[in-house]
Amino acid sequence: MSFRQASVLPGFGLTFGFTTFFLSTMVLLPLAAMVLAAGSMHWSDFVHVVFSARALDSYRLSFGASFLAASINLVFGFIIAWTLVRYEFPGRKLIDALIDMPFALPTAVSGIALTTVFAQSGWIGRYLEPLGIKVAYTWLGVTLALTLISMPFAVRALQPALLEVQRDLEDAAETLGAGRFYVFRRIILPTVLPALLTGFSLSFARAVGEYGSVIFIAGNLPMKTEITPLLIVIHLEQFDYQGAAALGLVMLVMSFTVLFAINLLQAWGRRRHLQAASS
Amino acid sequence: MSIILDQVTKHYGGVPVVNDVSLDIGDGEFFVLLGPSGSGKSTLLRAIAGLSGVDHGRIALHGRDVTHLTARKRGVGLVFQNYALFRHMTVADNIEFALRVRHVRGKLRRQRRKELLRLVALEGMDERLPAQLSGGQQQRVAVARALAHKPEVLLLDEPFGALDAKIRDELRRTIREVQRELGITTVLVTHDQEEAFAMADRIGIMNLGRLLEVGAPHDLYSRPATRFVATFLGAANLILARRTADGIQVCGTTIAAADRTPAANEHEVVAVVRPEEVELAPARAALTTNYLAGGVVEEVVFTGALERLRVRLDAAAHTPLLAHDGSDDNASELLQVTRTQHEQRGFAVTPGQNVAVGVRRVHVLPTPLSSFTACAASAQLAEALGREPLLVELAARMKTRITTRSEPKMGVAEALCESADFVGTTVIASQTDCAHRSEWLLRRGARDLLVLPAGATAPQRVLIHWMGEAARNATLAMSASVLRHVPAEAVYVGIFPGQAGGRGPHGMRELLDARSEAQAAHGLEMRTEMRFGEVAEELARRLAEAPGQMLIVGVTELTRFAERFRALLDGGHWPVLIVYRGAP
């Protein structure tokens, strides 16, 4: 194997060196500091903070709502990406640009906007109230906010993959006698599966890390609508840096586990593909 | 009949992409749809496959009307230019796809798959992925996949387009063998005439959404009916000639026409001379064929088996050479010649050499539209008329020329015109006393007269009508010729005196007769419409209803012409082509 490949960018040595340096200073070093801070705690204190009822509830909300948001985005992100890729309609470019809005907006603004709309007296909230559905200040609101801010990731991950699904493939399947659902299940889905997994993991990662938009709509009732990042902030405000680091460590481990699992799934899919090929 | 298309029409954004195509394809026939890109051939194929609907007309496969059936219920096999293999599936899964959809049992599926892989010579490739195969192999898989469910019809959409020459040859042979072995009716779409010749039992040539001509490769090549087919299938020199009682007169030489009986009266025609039918000799006396003209060799290109030359004919010969293939404008002044090794040994030529040019065979196109003559009161006006966009466009599409002619006394009663000899189609500008001028020209010998409003563009609909049965055939021939060159729909307007209902059944019969004659004798597909009232007024009313319409009207009688046609011609915003065939 040779690293000396012709390329526009300077040689491998320089680029690899920069990559390592960049990752170390920007990612690994701060993380290590956090682990160290948590490590300096006494074991029983650590357990006390990490496994307190309040913390456990926050994990459940944070990861549960993120998982739900990512799943919702998988379905609706797919539909949006499909619409944008497949159809020509007036305003398509505009909608395409609107997708990125949650990226550009300060997350707090999104949170405030959502709260305004979904509060009991809000535009939509007032019609949901009689039906017994409360969005703001419940887990529903949290999920909604997470869905909103993580949606661009799902759409943007899927768009290029859907462009790859040529219409010819569907036409071919149709002339061979396949119905629409069959075509979707056997042709489209397998082709975009890697992109779907990527979209899911990106959405999930974004949602888990979200803070700004959630705190407004969540209401932050301990044990009920309190997400882990908020709990960390609360610890920080009490100058309990170690407690915050401990919770951060838990989030780090859990997020890493989930993302790693998704990566494994993708690798497994690729390998299965290649095995089928080489046998 | 295996595939029957009846007046199939498909529009995109108001423009007909497939325009009134009717076609019968027999059982087990290998039919090739040939045409340049954008001619509508692929759209027609997709319509047969059921992947795109039609706006008008019917499609039947094996006696079953499938016009409104979806692709999955039509039972056709389709092969795409880019293979369209399912890349996440193995070759085996790809081929078995249609069988899985139909819940065929595993054992039968495997059996069928082995059979198909043998057929396309890909045994043992079952477990490969498409990405691990070469382009040619992928297309073989696509063919096998399309045949898995034993379709009644196999459709191939430019299947060799993405392959290099050697692989293409091999695959062509394989497909032809498979087709013969299975006896399956096959339609191949291509823009490559060599491919069409190599594979087809019959070829259908499309241009601008119309199916221009259908026939065996050899017949189409040697006896094309249209300019487009003559120049699209191989190279051709188009020459303006005159048909006389003795034969075909080209450049002062009369050649006995082999293929058609002489017409009653002398007129201009378009002759096709294939480059290989031209003979070169050092002097006129040395020619073994009909002398055409003297010329100078401009270019000699050696291409292996053949030698390609371009010869500039003597200006004195005044050869009305039109075009070879429309590829470049300069070429129209040069006669294209190809010679075999044998001929080259007999008489070697170099650029700059003077030669005598002879022709072995001349084919005359049956089109009545030979050339245009822009006619106006002064030379400047005639020049300006010759630059009208519609006229320029028509001439370019027909690969013909526009000459000018000034008639200072046009419309003056009793005045004789400069020359009574009108050549081709005469064109005049639409203006206030147009009907009067038209009558004047028609009375002095113009037979086909195009009245052109300023700034007119190519029509989207051509209305056809004739007054008097004597003009019927000429009007239909003219309409067919015009409609081959513009992507418009043809509508025959039948007009009957009196109120609606009066002559219903009889009128209907006339419309149907007109339609079937247009189809049978001129290959022209047209719709029909019935109206009641005075002819010229009704036509003017119909033309005013929508923009982008043109009228082709056959006339046999000039009595009170100007008066009768005033509403139609004077200052109208529509082009009118008058076909006058008076009693001699």
Side-chain angles (χ1 to χ4, degrees):
Chain A
M1 189 183 193
S2 164
F3 295 127
R4 295 183 182 280
Q5 282 183 354
S7 164
V8 186
L9 290 174
F12 175 74
L14 195 59
T15 48
F16 185 73
F18 182 75
T19 307
T20 331
F21 172 76
F22 190 80
L23 271 178
S24 303
T25 46
M26 307 292 281
V27 182
L28 290 178
L29 222 56
L31 284 181
M34 188 184 75
V35 173
L36 275 180
S40 66
M41 286 174 84
H42 197 269
W43 179 249
S44 61
D45 289 343
F46 181 78
V47 171
H48 178 73
V49 172
V50 168
F51 292 104
S52 69
R54 193 172 171 188
L56 286 177
D57 276 330
S58 81
Y59 301 150
R60 211 175 52 222
L61 181 66
S62 252
F63 287 95
S66 297
F67 190 85
L68 205 60
S71 307
I72 293 171
N73 279 332
L74 208 58
V75 177
F76 290 96
F78 182 90
I79 295 174
I80 292 171
W82 181 262
T83 313
L84 289 176
V85 167
R86 272 307 166 86
Y87 302 104
E88 271 300 331
F89 51 91
R92 191 178 68 99
K93 288 253 158 62
L94 188 73
I95 293 181
D96 201 36
L98 273 177
I99 301 289
D100 289 331
M101 278 302 278
F103 276 149
L105 231 51
T107 49
V109 177
S110 314
I112 293 167
L114 278 178
T115 313
T116 319
V117 173
F118 283 101
Q120 282 177 29
S121 56
W123 291 349
I124 298 180
R126 79 173 74 146
Y127 298 108
L128 292 177
E129 165 107 82
L131 303 173
I133 302 169
K134 276 168 107 177
V135 178
Y137 317 125
T138 67
W139 65 273
L140 218 55
V142 175
T143 310
L144 191 74
L146 294 181
T147 307
L148 175 78
I149 51 99
S150 63
M151 191 199 51
F153 290 90
V155 176
R156 293 297 179 225
L158 277 166
Q159 258 177 322
L162 286 177
L163 275 174
E164 295 257 304
V165 186
Q166 295 152 338
R167 182 156 289 178
D168 280 358
L169 291 182
E170 290 159 55
D171 287 346
E174 208 190 329
T175 57
L176 293 169
R180 277 159 191 247
F181 184 66
Y182 197 90
V183 173
F184 179 75
R185 198 161 56 87
R186 299 298 302 271
I187 309 296
I188 298 173
L189 216 49
T191 315
V192 301
L193 195 62
L196 276 175
L197 285 176
T198 308
F200 182 84
S201 50
L202 284 175
S203 280
F204 179 77
R206 176 78 177 88
V208 166
E210 176 57 13
Y211 172 75
S213 65
V214 180
I215 52 163
F216 285 99
I217 200 169
N220 309 329
L221 306 167
M223 320 283 283
K224 279 196 173 144
T225 58
E226 195 173 55
I227 54 170
T228 315
L230 179 71
L231 205 55
I232 294 174
V233 173
I234 290 171
H235 276 277
L236 285 177
E237 281 170 348
Q238 294 162 351
F239 304 104
D240 178 9
Y241 295 122
Q242 288 185 330
L247 286 172
L249 188 64
V250 171
M251 284 205 86
L252 178 71
V253 170
M254 287 175 77
S255 297
F256 188 75
T257 311
V258 171
L259 294 181
F260 191 67
I262 293 175
N263 262 328
L264 276 183
L265 204 64
Q266 273 178 316
W268 173 75
R270 267 198 299 275
R271 212 173 318 123
R272 198 179 61 139
H273 211 122
L274 286 178
Q275 260 168 12
S278 55
S279 64
Chain B
M1 283 297 150
S2 214
I3 303 176
I4 297 176
L5 306 180
D6 181 25
Q7 292 201 315
V8 172
T9 301
K10 173 86 186 167
H11 295 257
Y12 280 126
V15 181
V17 205
V18 174
N19 198 348
D20 268 340
V21 171
S22 297
L23 175 67
D24 292 350
I25 299 173
D27 283 331
E29 188 175 5
F30 199 113
F31 191 90
V32 174
L33 272 176
L34 178 66
S37 55
S39 59
K41 55 193 193 304
S42 281
T43 309
L44 185 60
L45 195 78
R46 289 177 64 84
I48 299 173
L51 292 172
S52 67
V54 298
D55 299 333
H56 179 88
R58 288 184 328 108
I59 299 172
L61 299 179
H62 288 274
R64 185 169 62 126
D65 189 329
V66 298
T67 315
H68 301 293
L69 284 189
T70 58
R72 56 185 293 231
K73 292 191 179 139
R74 288 201 189 183
V76 301
L78 182 55
V79 175
F80 298 81
Q81 177 172 8
N82 59 7
Y83 326 131
L85 292 180
F86 308 132
R87 310 199 73 76
H88 60 284
M89 292 185 193
T90 60
V91 168
D93 287 340
N94 263 289
I95 295 177
E96 288 178 25
F97 187 86
L99 304 175
R100 273 182 207 275
V101 171
R102 289 169 175 74
H103 307 292
V104 174
R105 278 189 298 125
K107 200 177 151 200
L108 291 173
R109 282 206 312 261
R110 275 192 295 282
Q111 204 179 323
R112 180 81 181 133
R113 183 223 308 169
K114 297 283 175 212
E115 208 176 295
L116 288 163
L117 281 174
R118 183 194 56 74
L119 207 59
V120 297
L122 281 181
E123 283 124 317
M125 301 276 192
D126 308 57
E127 297 307 320
R128 301 276 186 99
L129 279 178
Q132 297 168 308
L133 300 177
S134 72
Q137 288 172 326
Q138 290 191 43
Q139 196 59 298
R140 283 165 194 267
V141 174
V143 171
R145 183 182 66 178
L147 291 168
H149 54 299
K150 300 192 171 153
E152 296 171 324
V153 169
L154 179 63
L155 307 173
L156 306 160
D157 191 358
E158 305 244 11
F160 314 114
L163 303 172
D164 55 43
K166 191 161 168 279
I167 308 285
R168 195 182 303 178
D169 248 26
E170 250 174 59
L171 190 58
R172 263 184 210 165
R173 209 163 298 128
T174 308
I175 287 185
R176 200 66 172 100
E177 276 163 17
V178 168
Q179 192 266 341
R180 286 217 185 90
E181 191 172 330
L182 301 180
I184 183 171
T185 309
T186 304
V187 181
L188 171 88
V189 158
T190 182
H191 62 271
D192 181 346
Q193 47 126 335
E194 192 197 326
E195 190 170 302
F197 281 147
M199 304 196 74
D201 291 326
R202 276 196 308 158
I203 298 175
I205 296 181
M206 286 191 76
N207 189 34
L208 300 170
R210 281 195 184 269
L211 185 64
L212 293 183
E213 285 181 59
V214 176
H218 181 264
D219 291 344
L220 284 184
Y221 185 75
S222 57
R223 285 188 298 279
T226 61
R227 281 168 246 252
F228 181 82
V229 172
T231 50
F232 191 73
L233 273 187
N237 298 294
L238 295 183
I239 299 178
L240 284 180
R242 288 192 75 76
R243 182 180 283 284
T244 62
D246 304 326
I248 308 300
Q249 192 186 339
V250 196
C251 319
T253 314
T254 301
I255 301 164
D259 40 350
R260 279 180 89 194
T261 51
N265 39 11
E266 207 178 302
H267 60 273
E268 190 181 54
V269 293
V270 181
V272 176
V273 175
R274 293 283 181 198
E276 66 272 19
E277 304 286 0
V278 179
E279 189 196 2
L280 299 183
R284 183 169 183 173
L287 282 173
T288 58
T289 53
N290 294 300
Y291 174 74
L292 185 70
V296 181
V297 177
E298 290 250 327
E299 184 187 302
V300 181
V301 180
F302 176 70
T303 62
L306 294 172
E307 181 189 55
R308 294 184 196 286
L309 306 98
R310 288 183 171 199
V311 178
R312 183 178 300 280
L313 297 180
D314 288 345
H318 200 68
T319 322
L321 201 57
L322 291 179
H324 308 304
D325 47 14
S327 54
D328 57 320
D329 290 19
N330 292 335
S332 63
E333 296 163 23
L334 300 171
L335 188 76
Q336 196 168 317
V337 184
T338 57
R339 302 202 307 161
T340 60
Q341 290 273 356
H342 175 73
E343 289 172 284
Q344 291 168 42
R345 278 193 296 273
F347 173 47
V349 295
T350 49
Q353 191 172 340
N354 281 303
V355 291
V357 180
V359 273
R360 298 188 184 93
R361 186 175 169 278
V362 170
H363 169 72
V364 172
L365 296 179
T367 171
L369 265 171
S370 52
S371 65
F372 292 103
T373 305
C375 182
S378 73
Q380 287 97 325
L381 284 174
E383 291 279 334
L385 181 60
R387 286 193 297 272
E388 272 294 321
L390 178 58
L391 187 56
V392 170
E393 192 179 338
L394 279 176
R397 285 186 179 174
M398 293 175 186
K399 303 185 173 77
T400 193
R401 61 174 182 180
I402 305 166
T403 48
T404 55
R405 168 187 183 124
S406 70
E407 284 293 348
K409 292 184 178 139
M410 183 159 37
V412 178
E414 306 311 320
L416 288 173
C417 53
E418 288 188 332
S419 141
D421 183 24
F422 286 86
V423 175
T425 301
T426 309
V427 186
I428 59 168
S430 175
Q431 48 191 279
T432 42
D433 62 341
C434 205
H436 182 64
R437 284 164 188 245
S438 301
E439 181 175 351
W440 190 87
L441 284 166
L442 292 172
R443 283 195 186 280
R444 274 154 189 80
R447 289 159 57 81
D448 303 316
L449 184 66
L450 175 62
V451 180
L452 197 63
T457 52
Q460 278 154 17
R461 183 181 297 133
V462 174
L463 307 178
I464 300 162
H465 182 81
W466 52 83
M467 307 170 187
E469 286 304 290
R472 182 181 58 185
N473 195 37
T475 311
L476 281 175
M478 182 62 87
S479 306
S481 200
V482 168
L483 281 157
R484 280 184 205 116
H485 302 98
V486 289
E489 62 170 352
V491 180
Y492 172 73
V493 188
I495 301 174
F496 307 99
Q499 288 305 304
R503 284 180 55 181
H506 181 65
M508 212 57 198
R509 176 87 188 277
E510 253 183 75
L511 294 185
L512 291 175
D513 284 351
R515 200 192 120 181
S516 58
E517 187 184 336
Q519 220 275 312
H522 304 280
L524 170 67
E525 287 286 350
M526 58 182 196
R527 318 276 177 77
T528 51
E529 254 178 42
M530 213 189 310
R531 296 178 80 93
F532 299 91
E534 205 278 316
V535 174
E537 275 172 26
E538 274 309 313
L539 286 175
R541 206 169 292 149
R542 180 70 182 87
L543 284 164
E545 274 171 19
Q549 302 194 99
M550 174 179 172
L551 171 69
I552 297 178
V553 60
V555 180
T556 52
E557 182 58 56
L558 291 181
T559 322
R560 286 173 46 243
F561 179 90
E563 197 181 315
R564 285 192 292 144
F565 279 75
R566 187 152 291 137
L568 211 48
L569 298 178
D570 286 5
H573 301 295
W574 44 77
V576 179
L577 179 53
I578 301 162
V579 180
Y580 171 56
R581 294 295 183 271

